Amino acid sequence: MRGVITLFILFPASKPPAKDALIKSWSKHLLALFGIHLKINNPSIVPNTPYLLASNHISWMDIHVINSFKPIRFVAKSEVERWPIFGWMAKQLGTVFIERGNSRHAIQVVGNMVSALGTESICIFPEGTSTDGNSVRPFKANLFESAVISQVPVYSLAIEYFDRKSGLRTDVTAFIGEMGLLESMSTILKHRNLRVELTFFPPSAASPGFSNDRKWLALHSHEQISSYLAL
């Protein structure tokens, strides 16, 4: 309800910096409600100029976790737009929705991303689906084309959720299979003792053998994240 009120009353009259502050505040409040503590690794490498962020994907909560650190626009699957409350909120926050398996729509989305990357940063989940967080599925390269055209750097992000008592990775937040949003929310609320870690990696251009090619960018980002999670 706090998020809905913020979007209805405060957002329309707010300038971009104020909107980011509202998003960050609300996202941090949401994490607190769900008992999730946030830890950021390498936060200083994230620039204030536009960039493309490629992340592994575990939960619908990922978006709010990232926004609680540094608000950013997202590309999400079209199903999210139909979610109660959260779908509407995602739309108001400028989320770009993509139809999975529709190559023609993907081309249109890349065009929209190129326009946005002129002034804003965008986060993508190139696996195309969520996982339990223990491994990373191959990254789809299509959306990386937006960074090639826009000539913005590509940063990678590894997301991990842990049980604060055991210190071990947990799949409590995993939004997979036929699980519904309300079921997932209920599961997380029953385990209000979690920690989420965001680990940022240097931009792809800083790596040996850099190639400003979407397939190379996707593979490099995937290797950065999957190698880290395998440790």
Side-chain angles (χ1 to χ4, degrees), residues 4 14 33 37 76 146 166 168 220:
V4 171
S14 300
L33 287 174
H37 288 194
S146 62
S166 68
L168 300 176
H220 179 261

Side-chain angles (χ1 to χ4, degrees), residues 59-72:
S59 173
W60 59 272
M61 184 65 77
D62 296 347
I63 289 176
H64 308 292
V65 168
I66 296 170
N67 274 339
S68 68
F69 163 62
K70 195 176 183 72
I72 190 172

Side-chain angles (χ1 to χ4, degrees), residues 16 21 23 26 29 31 40 43 47 50 58-59 70 85 103 117 119 123 125-126 134 140 166 195 206 226:
I23 293 170
W26 182 81
H29 184 68
L31 262 61
I40 312 292
I58 300 171
S59 173
K70 195 176 183 72
I85 302 179
S103 57
L117 284 168
T119 56
C123 178
F125 299 114
N134 290 311
K140 295 176 172 59
S166 68
R195 181 179 82 253
S226 58

Side-chain angles (χ1 to χ4, degrees), residues 58-186:
I58 300 171
S59 173
W60 59 272
M61 184 65 77
D62 296 347
I63 289 176
H64 308 292
V65 168
I66 296 170
N67 274 339
S68 68
F69 163 62
K70 195 176 183 72
I72 190 172
R73 284 186 68 175
F74 290 87
V75 176
K77 59 185 180 180
S78 56
E79 291 93 325
V80 172
E81 190 174 9
R82 297 190 290 271
W83 286 358
I85 302 179
F86 283 100
W88 176 82
M89 292 177 69
K91 191 173 182 179
Q92 305 309 307
L93 294 174
T95 301
V96 178
F97 299 102
I98 184 170
E99 297 175 13
R100 289 187 294 183
N102 188 332
S103 57
R104 181 175 297 181
H105 190 245
I107 294 173
Q108 179 183 337
V109 168
V110 167
N112 293 338
M113 292 174 64
V114 170
S115 297
L117 284 168
T119 56
E120 302 175 88
S121 299
I122 296 178
C123 178
I124 60 175
F125 299 114
E127 291 169 286
T129 187
S130 50
T131 71
D132 63 7
N134 290 311
S135 60
V136 187
R137 294 190 179 190
F139 279 5
K140 295 176 172 59
N142 287 353
L143 298 184
F144 286 88
E145 183 70 17
S146 62
V148 175
I149 297 173
S150 304
Q151 298 184 359
V152 298
V154 176
Y155 286 77
S156 302
L157 167 65
I159 301 178
E160 301 173 279
Y161 292 89
F162 297 89
D163 183 293
R164 293 207 310 269
K165 288 183 178 179
S166 68
L168 300 176
R169 230 182 249 158
T170 178
D171 61 359
V172 165
T173 58
F175 191 61
I176 53 179
E178 300 300 317
M179 179 178 288
L181 178 60
L182 294 180
E183 179 186 355
S184 175
M185 293 174 70
S186 175

